[in-house]
Amino acid sequence: MSALARKALRDLWHLRGQALAIALVIAAGIANLVMAQSTYESLQQTREHFYREYAFADVFASAKRVPQTVSARIAGILGVQTVQTRLMASGTLHLAGFDDPVRAQLLSVPKEGGQPDLNRLYLRAGRLPLADGHHEAVIGEAFANAHGLKPGDAVEATIYGHRQRLDIVGVAISPEYIYQIQPGATFPDYRRFAIVWINERVLESALDMQGAFNSVTLRLRPGIDPAAVIDELDRLLARYGGLGAYAREDQISNHFLNEELRQLQMMAKLFPIIFLSVAAFLLSVVMTRLIDTQRDQVAILKAFGYSAREIGRHFLAIVGAIAATGAVLGIAGGAWLGSLLAGIYQEFYRFPFLDYHLSAVSITTGLVVAIVAAFLGAWRAVVKAVRLPPAEAMRPPAPARFHASLLERAGLIRLLSQPNRMILRNIERRPWKAALSVIGLALACAIMMVGRFQENAINRMIDVQLRVAAHQDISVDFIEATGRAALSELRALPDVRAVEPVRSVAVRLRHANYSYRTGLSGLARDASLRRPVDALLQPITAPDSGVLLTDYLQQRLHVEVGDQLEIDVLQGRQARIEVKVAGFVHEYIGAQAYMDLDAMNRLLGDGDVVSGALLAVDARSDQDLFARLDRRPRIAGFSERRTDIQSFYDTMGESLLVFTFISMLLGGVINFGVVYNSARIALSERGRELASLRVLGFTRGEIGHILLGELFMLVAASIPLGCAAGWALCWIMVRNLQSDLFRVPLVLLPSTFAFAILTMAGSTLVSAMIVRRRIARLDLVAVLKTRE
Amino acid sequence: MNDDVVFRAQGLTKVYHMGDVDVHALRGVDLDLRRGELVVLLGPSGSGKSTLLNILGGLDVPSAGHVWYDGHDLTKASERELTRFRRQHVGFVFQFYNLIPSLTARENVAIVTEIAEDPMTPEEALRRVGLEDRMDHFPSQLSGGQQQRIAIARAIAKRPSVLLCDEPTGALDSATGVHVLEAIETINATLGTTTVVITHNADIARMAHRVLYLGDGRIVSEKLNDARTPASELTW
Ligand SMILES: Nc1ncnc2c1ncn2[C@@H]1O[C@H](COP(=O)(O)OP(=O)(O)OP(=O)(O)O)[C@@H](O)[C@H]1O
Ligand SMILES: [Mg+2]
């Protein structure tokens, strides 16, 4: 090993505390990057693979009842490669020992047995229903796991009021249901929602659909634009009660996955940028100090013929070693976090396999990003060493210049003790370094806020969506639009206190060039169980002939109150109506339109009908009531609001805690990095001064006060800034997380600020204690003896 | 040009601009240094000794005038050429030793031999200054005189054509200083290295072939020593 390399190693060893602190900050950034990047890749590739192997469709459509003969005409649409028709229905399942209602999404598999042509099933266990398997069913894996069901078990199912036994022959996963959410629900609930595949013959007779289908999926030829095919398909299905075809992008499971991938991409940028900026700043401080103390060594090397390039390479090697250590730790940490995250994804998303792997690209990206960031940080210091004129460097540097501080000039200095004056002068002497330290600490504070912010935001979302705007106990969906007599029947059930009608239809909203496919809900004028609220959380009702839109649609459709909105109804008589936008509804989840029920029925022209009901009941979770609802033939399914909230906290609670903890840890890393490095630099810059003070009789405590007092002042200054930065960081996240699926509100409760401030104080104290141990060991003689 | 002349300087001036004032460190120095010569440079503080030495060694460039080394004009050399010149031909010794504290004695020498063309081994260089038994000590474990001898070993290990010493004994007591000067004298005698020694100490001048007196940026006088005193007999 060359002597210069040996010097680099010994310098590194000498700096090990600081180098490690910086490496940790780099590692935190790279871990974030690698975690997000590798999870993104794994998720993306797994999804592509699954879609391809299991023939995920390109276009989806459902209708009321379409004769099988139409299938050939669909196949004739230009660009269509494969057509798969099928039957779909809602139902209810009954499990021994589980009292809550379980909604089932029933799908047919081909009569002759075997896989469908599109959206094939990946069988985790068992087999597909046989051609003559009348009671055979395959159930989705999420539901099977939630209840411990396996092939050989049996469940009872109610399909359109008709109850029958189903023998489970298989457990499967489908590319259509990687993300599974019950219609109308806010969050997935694997215990109360099941996907069930049964032979087409069975569904045919239950639905009375011989020779017909109500759902069709298409695979298009490569390079075909789905929009044209969708228009053609809508035209074909119009008179069979078509509900509007849609492309893969709008398919709910796929849409959720796209959003998830988008978030991962954001994470791969946002957090690494913060950590690596702080690391770059720390490296710049540490390398500047190192090179300042080694001016004469640099000069000697130059005097003996080392070139500027060799000197630069030498210092960059030190920086590179710190960055590489950080990168290696970060890549390992990122891979670990990534596999944890992939595990969490396995809970939320149903893939046959989530093949988590750390790609060469992720590793290289992590390494390159770490080293580039470190070099950028150290650049100025290294250039200084490279440019150092050797003759001049042999002279000791000019003594630092001190000015009377601002406070002194203001005459306030007399209020301060001598140590406090030293602190103040020192901060004022290097305003930039102080400012950057404050910024670094503020970023630590900001990161600590992020974890708690998620919790605040989610609580608010649930509160508004499921408590302020919704009061029903049970929502009931009818199989199809029916007259209001159905409501009276519900009202007559025991324990039912109130019943309110709803009607939901699939629509396409249009304004100017913008359009959005969603649901339109009609609510009774005097509704009290479901009340949309405005931004101030005050209930608003649609006027007689206006429509209310989720506020998100304001920007999506570029509409204002008073604008005319075109609504293509995608079902029933396929009415096309024009209504004024009467206001915006404040909602965090989903995006839809609301109208007055009577006005809606008048405009749509399908008669005075409803498609569901909201119930308030006296006794909650009344099993007797569930049983009665279940026996009604016209009820497709029902769900409880209470369990919707509960199931959310069941699934999310733990991961929120983990997230808060991780962000606390990451913020702590930055805090430690900045505090420890500042203290060490101060100790090195001012060791002589402090040792002289000790010789003059200052106590260790007083010395500690001078050294750490400066840091405490910086930390104190960083906290208001950190709170503002935390707010800004959350704002950036909120902006980037916006989608039609959900909007995260920017809610930061006082407790979140308090949490961040306390964590900052705590980690500052820990860092300070470590530094104090060094002060205690400060060797007076050695410090005073050595030549600076 | 005389074949024996290693360095020739003509009209060297050096002006430092310090804000509004110009400091004239050198005001026109003419000088020849012959091969194998040991020259002592005397002069009061601030007279420009270090400035002259740095220019000769290619560490600094003059404001005007020329320096030729072996017929090459150093004042026309690029930064890269100056670096190569220092790497191949010059050894420096400074008042404060300027060893690299994180390297052992042997490594402090090796750092120079590793980039030189025909160096002696670090061990041999250290033996020549009488420090073969301290090779694995760090500078902080050595006395000032020992450190300075390592600095000399470092300077001569590459077999330089010139050895430039700026107050090599400035920080040492006289007995130790004599030790260091002996080392320099031996190198000059055995390797024939052209040597320049800056000092404040007129006694040291007795070991030189030639003594130059610098005053206010000029060479004010020159003296040839007919009878040199060996370093070992110097006292002050
Ligand atoms: N980098 C510099 N910037 C400004 N002035 C300088 C610089 N280097 C030297 N000088 C000035 O040039 C003059 C000559 O300096 P030099 O170091 O050559 O003197 P010296 O003879 O070596 O003195 P000493 O015996 O004290 O070492 C002095 O007045 C000094 O202040
Ligand atoms: Mg000098």
Side-chain angles (χ1 to χ4, degrees):
Chain A
M1 194 193 311
S2 76
L4 201 57
R6 221 165 270 201
K7 169 179 178 300
L9 278 183
R10 297 207 182 119
D11 284 346
L12 264 174
W13 179 246
H14 185 68
L15 285 176
R16 61 194 177 275
Q18 286 159 280
L20 194 69
I22 296 173
L24 283 179
V25 177
I26 293 177
I30 297 302
N32 264 300
L33 174 74
V34 168
M35 173 191 76
Q37 175 71 25
S38 63
T39 311
Y40 174 85
E41 283 172 8
S42 303
L43 210 56
Q44 166 86 16
Q45 282 164 16
T46 304
R47 182 176 75 160
E48 286 319 309
H49 185 76
F50 189 32
Y51 279 1
R52 203 173 44 244
E53 297 296 309
Y54 288 83
F56 185 48
D58 294 312
V59 172
F60 301 77
S62 46
K64 200 164 170 184
R65 181 193 181 97
V66 195
Q68 269 308 342
T69 49
V70 178
S71 164
R73 284 163 62 198
I74 296 174
I77 297 174
L78 190 70
V80 172
Q81 189 172 55
T82 314
V83 178
Q84 174 70 57
T85 64
R86 62 185 180 179
L87 290 170
M88 265 171 96
S90 280
T92 318
L93 298 187
H94 312 273
L95 273 77
F98 189 73
D99 291 336
D100 289 350
V102 175
R103 285 189 79 157
Q105 173 76 61
L106 296 135
L107 292 148
S108 68
V109 287
K111 282 178 186 163
E112 57 279 11
Q115 290 276 9
D117 289 338
L118 297 178
N119 306 314
R120 289 190 210 119
L121 302 186
Y122 171 87
L123 281 164
R124 182 71 84 191
R127 56 170 175 81
L128 289 168
L130 298 178
D132 54 356
H134 281 293
H135 294 282
E136 293 182 347
V138 168
I139 58 170
E141 185 194 43
F143 179 72
N145 288 353
H147 290 283
L149 294 171
K150 53 188 186 309
D153 293 341
V155 291
E156 294 278 312
T158 307
I159 309 170
Y160 286 20
H162 177 75
R163 190 153 172 154
Q164 71 171 85
R165 187 175 56 97
L166 291 178
D167 294 323
I168 298 172
V169 295
V171 173
I173 295 167
S174 155
E176 244 182 314
Y177 295 100
I178 294 173
Y179 179 80
Q180 306 178 358
I181 190 159
Q182 179 175 358
T186 326
F187 305 108
D189 183 352
Y190 301 136
R191 283 155 67 79
R192 298 178 187 80
F193 181 57
I195 315 282
V196 178
W197 288 270
I198 52 181
N199 191 295
E200 192 173 339
R201 240 183 278 275
V202 186
L203 263 187
E204 210 175 54
S205 57
L207 273 60
D208 200 14
M209 284 273 209
Q210 281 79 6
F213 62 89
N214 65 8
S215 166
V216 59
T217 60
L218 310 180
R219 154 66 50 97
L220 304 184
R221 285 180 208 291
I224 294 292
D225 173 20
V229 176
I230 286 170
D231 281 349
E232 192 67 23
L233 187 59
D234 277 346
R235 253 194 301 282
L236 259 177
L237 296 181
R239 64 183 161 113
Y240 306 108
L243 290 177
Y246 52 91
R248 221 185 233 206
E249 278 64 45
D250 294 322
Q251 202 265 346
I252 188 78
S253 159
N254 185 56
H255 191 10
F256 259 93
L257 276 167
N258 281 340
E259 280 304 311
E260 191 73 55
L261 290 169
R262 202 168 61 89
Q263 282 183 38
L264 281 172
Q265 277 181 313
M266 182 193 75
M267 284 210 336
K269 294 193 197 99
L270 188 58
F271 291 98
I273 286 177
I274 292 177
F275 284 96
L276 295 173
S277 324
V278 173
F281 157 65
L282 292 177
L283 271 170
S284 122
V285 173
V286 168
M287 291 309 290
T288 303
R289 177 62 193 159
L290 180 73
I291 287 166
D292 278 352
T293 55
Q294 296 194 351
R295 277 166 57 91
D296 62 324
Q297 298 182 34
V298 172
I300 274 293
L301 290 174
K302 286 189 171 179
F304 280 103
Y306 277 87
S307 66
R309 178 193 299 249
E310 284 162 323
I311 303 280
R313 230 180 4 229
H314 168 66
F315 287 110
L316 285 182
I318 294 178
V319 175
I322 296 175
T325 309
V328 168
L329 287 176
I331 290 167
W336 180 68
L337 287 176
S339 63
L340 276 189
L341 192 61
I344 292 177
Y345 279 149
Q346 283 280 47
E347 286 288 313
F348 286 91
Y349 299 108
R350 290 293 150 175
F351 288 105
F353 40 84
L354 209 173
D355 191 3
Y356 176 77
H357 70 280
L358 185 61
S359 71
V361 175
S362 301
I363 295 177
T364 322
T365 313
L367 210 61
V368 168
V369 167
I371 288 175
V372 167
F375 279 8
L376 283 179
W379 196 249
R380 270 172 55 111
V382 173
V383 164
K384 205 168 137 193
V386 165
R387 297 239 176 98
L388 194 74
E392 210 162 303
M394 296 310 296
R395 309 170 170 271
R401 281 183 217 166
F402 282 85
H403 304 284
S405 68
L406 278 178
L407 278 182
E408 280 174 275
R409 272 172 264 156
L412 293 171
I413 198 78
R414 261 164 286 130
L415 303 177
L416 298 175
S417 67
Q418 194 58 39
N420 285 336
R421 285 183 211 185
M422 295 179 66
I423 291 174
L424 217 70
R425 285 187 194 139
N426 213 50
I427 290 179
E428 280 202 16
R429 185 165 71 89
R430 298 263 190 86
W432 274 111
K433 205 173 95 184
L436 287 173
S437 303
V438 168
I439 291 173
L441 289 165
L443 288 172
C445 182
I447 284 186
M448 289 174 183
M449 283 171 66
V450 168
R452 295 280 299 204
F453 156 67
Q454 304 248 330
E455 203 177 324
N456 292 167
I458 283 170
N459 282 336
R460 167 68 68 84
M461 287 166 81
I462 291 184
D463 213 48
V464 169
Q465 201 86 15
L466 293 178
R467 293 203 180 98
V468 178
H471 300 276
Q472 82 278 9
D473 294 310
I474 297 173
S475 331
V476 175
D477 287 339
F478 299 130
I479 287 163
E480 56 188 341
T482 76
R484 290 192 185 240
L487 300 175
S488 322
E489 288 174 28
L490 290 176
R491 223 168 262 131
L493 292 172
D495 291 337
V496 172
R497 191 155 44 78
V499 174
E500 286 179 4
V502 281
R503 181 178 181 199
S504 301
V505 293
V507 293
R508 188 171 284 125
L509 308 175
R510 291 182 193 280
H511 178 250
N513 296 327
Y514 309 99
S515 79
Y516 184 72
R517 188 179 185 279
T518 181
L520 170 66
S521 294
L523 301 174
R525 169 67 43 94
D526 53 355
S528 64
L529 295 180
R530 178 88 183 78
R531 293 189 307 177
V533 293
D534 62 16
L536 301 171
L537 302 187
Q538 295 307 308
I540 44 172
T541 36
D544 202 25
S545 61
V547 64
L548 298 175
L549 297 178
T550 302
D551 42 12
Y552 172 78
L553 292 176
Q554 180 172 16
Q555 25 169 313
R556 177 78 174 241
L557 293 172
H558 296 79
V559 283
E560 293 303 332
V561 171
D563 286 351
Q564 285 286 349
L565 189 70
E566 255 182 64
I567 303 182
D568 297 345
V569 179
L570 299 173
Q571 62 189 88
R573 287 181 54 249
Q574 312 269 331
R576 168 169 289 197
I577 59 177
E578 273 210 12
V579 259
K580 259 202 175 63
V581 175
F584 292 102
V585 176
H586 192 50
E587 278 181 319
Y588 297 124
I589 298 162
Q592 48 180 326
Y594 297 92
M595 279 183 83
D596 175 66
L597 179 58
D598 294 332
M600 175 172 160
N601 276 340
R602 221 174 25 247
L603 284 169
L604 265 53
D606 302 316
D608 188 19
V609 293
V610 297
S611 68
L614 305 171
L615 272 54
V617 299
D618 284 328
R620 296 194 146 187
S621 297
D622 188 340
Q623 298 312 316
D624 190 42
L625 179 61
F626 291 161
R628 282 165 197 274
L629 286 175
D630 193 51
R631 280 200 295 273
R632 310 239 134 213
R634 278 213 285 259
I635 292 181
F638 52 93
S639 56
E640 268 187 300
R641 184 173 57 100
R642 183 179 56 84
T643 52
D644 209 13
I645 299 178
Q646 189 53 47
S647 70
F648 173 74
Y649 280 110
D650 286 350
T651 38
M652 285 301 285
E654 199 178 335
S655 46
L656 273 179
L657 257 172
V658 170
F659 196 81
T660 304
F661 176 72
I662 289 181
S663 66
M664 196 172 121
L665 207 68
L666 293 179
V669 165
I670 292 194
N671 177 298
F672 172 72
V674 175
V675 170
Y676 182 75
N677 265 301
S678 307
R680 286 293 290 132
I681 296 281
L683 197 59
S684 127
E685 281 177 351
R686 305 171 59 201
R688 280 164 87 74
E689 180 186 343
L690 297 178
S692 317
L693 289 177
R694 285 276 285 130
V695 172
L696 293 178
F698 277 71
T699 64
R700 269 192 193 138
E702 283 163 330
I703 299 295
H705 174 82
I706 294 174
L707 202 61
L708 295 175
E710 185 180 331
L711 282 170
F712 290 148
M713 277 183 65
L714 296 182
V715 172
S718 77
I719 281 178
L721 195 66
C723 290
W727 186 89
L729 185 58
C730 295
W731 183 83
I732 293 175
M733 291 178 62
V734 161
R735 291 284 305 204
N736 281 285
L737 288 176
Q738 274 205 47
S739 77
D740 56 337
L741 298 175
F742 54 85
R743 275 81 50 199
V744 178
L746 185 50
V747 199
L748 286 163
L749 300 180
S751 64
T752 299
F753 289 100
F755 169 82
I757 294 170
L758 286 177
T759 318
M760 280 294 282
S763 45
T764 305
L765 280 179
V766 172
S767 312
M769 259 146 62
I770 297 175
V771 176
R772 267 204 69 136
R773 284 192 27 219
R774 305 265 332 183
I775 300 179
R777 290 206 305 260
L778 188 63
D779 181 345
L780 299 180
V781 185
V783 171
L784 291 175
K785 212 171 65 177
T786 54
R787 200 177 80 91
E788 174 70 341
Chain B
M1 192 184 288
N2 185 338
D3 226 18
D4 249 13
V5 173
V6 184
F7 271 109
R8 164 159 299 168
Q10 251 171 23
L12 282 187
T13 67
K14 178 76 183 178
V15 183
Y16 293 106
H17 305 282
M18 299 276 289
D20 296 339
V21 286
D22 285 354
V23 179
H24 291 263
L26 296 178
R27 299 171 185 269
V29 172
D30 299 325
L31 171 82
D32 280 350
L33 290 180
R34 278 177 283 280
R35 210 176 291 286
E37 201 179 19
L38 197 162
V39 173
V40 164
L41 208 54
L42 279 173
S45 186
S47 56
K49 304 182 295 292
S50 298
T51 305
L52 176 60
L53 198 80
N54 287 342
I55 291 173
L56 291 179
L59 277 185
D60 209 346
V61 286
S63 309
H66 293 276
V67 185
W68 290 272
Y69 169 79
D70 248 358
H72 303 285
D73 190 346
L74 293 184
T75 51
K76 294 211 178 94
S78 66
E79 178 56 46
R80 177 189 292 251
E81 286 161 340
L82 279 183
T83 300
R84 203 170 54 227
F85 163 65
R86 296 196 301 262
R87 179 183 288 222
Q88 289 174 1
H89 303 293
V90 191
F92 286 100
V93 177
F94 298 100
Q95 178 177 0
F96 294 108
Y97 338 130
N98 296 95
L99 298 176
I100 291 175
S102 54
L103 298 179
T104 61
R106 189 203 309 265
E107 290 159 357
N108 261 291
V109 179
I111 205 163
V112 172
T113 55
E114 277 165 8
I115 59 167
E117 260 169 14
D118 174 32
M120 51 185 94
T121 63
E123 291 76 9
E124 187 192 341
L126 286 164
R127 207 174 303 118
R128 280 177 189 267
V129 296
L131 275 179
E132 57 272 36
D133 54 343
R134 292 298 166 91
M135 292 204 276
D136 293 317
H137 285 58
F138 284 94
S140 59
Q141 299 165 323
L142 297 168
S143 75
Q146 289 167 332
Q147 288 187 56
Q148 191 61 299
R149 280 189 282 158
I150 291 169
I152 293 169
R154 175 177 67 182
I156 54 118
K158 68 166 80 153
R159 304 182 206 278
S161 350
V162 280
L163 179 61
L164 305 175
C165 311
D166 193 345
E167 298 188 41
T169 59
L172 305 172
D173 65 51
S174 70
T176 318
V178 166
H179 247 67
V180 167
L181 292 174
E182 279 178 326
I184 292 173
E185 186 178 58
T186 317
I187 301 304
N188 173 256
T190 56
L191 298 179
T193 312
T194 309
T195 306
V196 180
V197 177
I198 292 181
T199 177
H200 278 125
N201 190 333
D203 291 315
I204 294 175
R206 293 193 286 141
M207 70 183 277
H209 293 116
R210 189 154 62 110
V211 187
L212 297 174
Y213 295 89
L214 219 62
D216 196 20
R218 292 191 186 88
I219 294 183
V220 290
S221 67
E222 182 181 342
K223 189 183 115 193
L224 278 176
N225 272 341
D226 303 326
R228 296 170 63 208
T229 312
S232 56
E233 290 169 24
L234 294 175
T235 49
W236 62 86

